[in-house]
Amino acid sequence: MRRIFWWIFYGLALALLLLVVLIDLYRFVPPPITPLMVIRSFQGQPTIRRWTDNDAISPEMFRAVIASEDAKFCRHHGFDWQAIDEDYERYEEGVGKLRGASTISMQTAKNLFLWPGRTFLRKGLEAPITFMIEALLPKKRIIELYLNIIEWGPGIYGVEAASEAAFHHSARTLSRREAALLAAVLPSPLKSSAAHPSAYIQRRVATIEARMADVPFQRPRICGVPQDPLW
């Protein structure tokens, strides 16, 4: 029994060390592949992606994903506790399912190292990885990773590939509406289309565009707030 315990201990320690090394490496190097890309390739989908640095992405795209996915991105440390509490309260009251109140940092953790799905196991692993990502990476790198690895359609990963597929031009020149369209389809990228938005997506776009005005952006700081050490 003691030997099994030590094998488990050493295995967990090795996994933790590997995560630290990979996260620190991804501070400087683009991830070569993600678990979701592997899963989709086994499902017969291609992998279309083009890494794009923050400087080559339209400011409107940053505003759009923050406005739609994580309004407190610049202020939290990986977890939006207020949103998590509200989500749990709705669940306790029988109003819908647990959504997880995922932040951009949590979604980055999931896409970098985990698999899709809403199991408690995956969410349990997602939390410590999110903490490690926030501890080891600046905000500007977190959102850069996020915009380059998330799924934007069948076989399409990252904002550059998504922009070219939907609008036939680079992510550098995305307009406010185009950025809002791309952000609007993120919750269900395999069912929604930025190029051919449904009435529901059009309504989401209107909401996102209205919120984008409240998202500060001033290079070289993504959030435009001096106390946020984004760079």
Side-chain angles (χ1 to χ4, degrees):
M1 180 64 72
R2 181 176 294 181
R3 179 174 294 181
I4 294 175
F5 170 80
W6 282 111
W7 274 111
I8 294 173
F9 175 80
Y10 287 131
L12 290 174
L14 181 61
L16 181 63
L17 178 61
L18 180 61
L19 274 173
V20 170
V21 170
L22 285 175
I23 292 171
D24 201 44
L25 180 65
Y26 291 159
R27 184 186 184 108
F28 308 102
V29 178
I33 199 166
T34 68
L36 182 60
M37 293 176 192
V38 174
I39 291 170
R40 296 293 191 234
S41 67
F42 276 106
Q43 294 173 346
Q45 293 184 9
T47 301
I48 305 169
R49 62 186 298 224
R50 295 174 184 82
W51 180 270
T52 309
D53 294 336
N54 280 338
D55 290 342
I57 300 173
S58 167
E60 301 295 353
M61 195 67 245
F62 294 98
R63 291 193 182 98
V65 293
I66 291 174
S68 64
E69 298 293 303
D70 187 1
K72 296 180 182 177
F73 174 72
C74 299
R75 303 194 299 275
H76 65 61
H77 297 287
F79 306 93
D80 185 344
W81 295 111
Q82 180 180 351
I84 291 172
D85 288 342
E86 292 173 354
D87 187 42
Y88 185 74
E89 287 177 5
R90 285 192 296 268
Y91 174 73
E92 286 285 283
E93 294 170 358
V95 182
K97 300 179 181 179
L98 279 174
R99 295 178 299 173
S102 290
T103 62
I104 285 174
S105 302
M106 294 167 70
Q107 293 180 53
T108 302
K110 178 191 73 175
N111 280 276
L112 272 178
F113 299 111
L114 300 172
W115 61 92
R118 297 181 180 273
T119 64
F120 284 105
L121 173 61
R122 201 219 73 201
K123 296 300 290 187
L125 293 172
E126 185 180 288
I129 297 174
T130 299
F131 176 81
M132 294 165 66
I133 284 175
E134 281 277 345
L136 295 171
L137 301 179
K139 289 285 191 180
K140 64 123 178 186
R141 184 58 174 177
I142 293 173
I143 200 167
E144 186 173 51
L145 287 166
Y146 172 79
L147 287 174
N148 276 280
I149 65 174
I150 52 175
E151 184 178 40
W152 241 303
I156 299 173
Y157 301 91
V159 66
E160 184 68 19
S163 179
E164 292 178 359
F167 310 118
H168 310 292
H169 62 72
S170 169
R172 184 189 294 272
T173 56
L174 283 167
S175 67
R176 171 167 291 206
R177 178 165 179 77
E178 289 171 340
L181 278 164
L182 288 178
V185 303
L186 283 175
S188 54
L190 299 183
K191 298 179 180 179
S192 305
S193 169
H196 306 286
S198 64
Y200 170 73
I201 293 298
Q202 297 275 17
R203 290 193 296 271
R204 275 186 53 81
V205 167
T207 300
I208 292 169
E209 284 190 279
R211 293 175 178 172
M212 286 170 68
D214 297 326
V215 179
F217 186 99
Q218 182 179 356
R219 295 191 190 276
R221 294 182 182 272
I222 286 176
C223 297
V225 182
Q227 62 266 31
D228 286 334
L230 300 181
W231 300 77

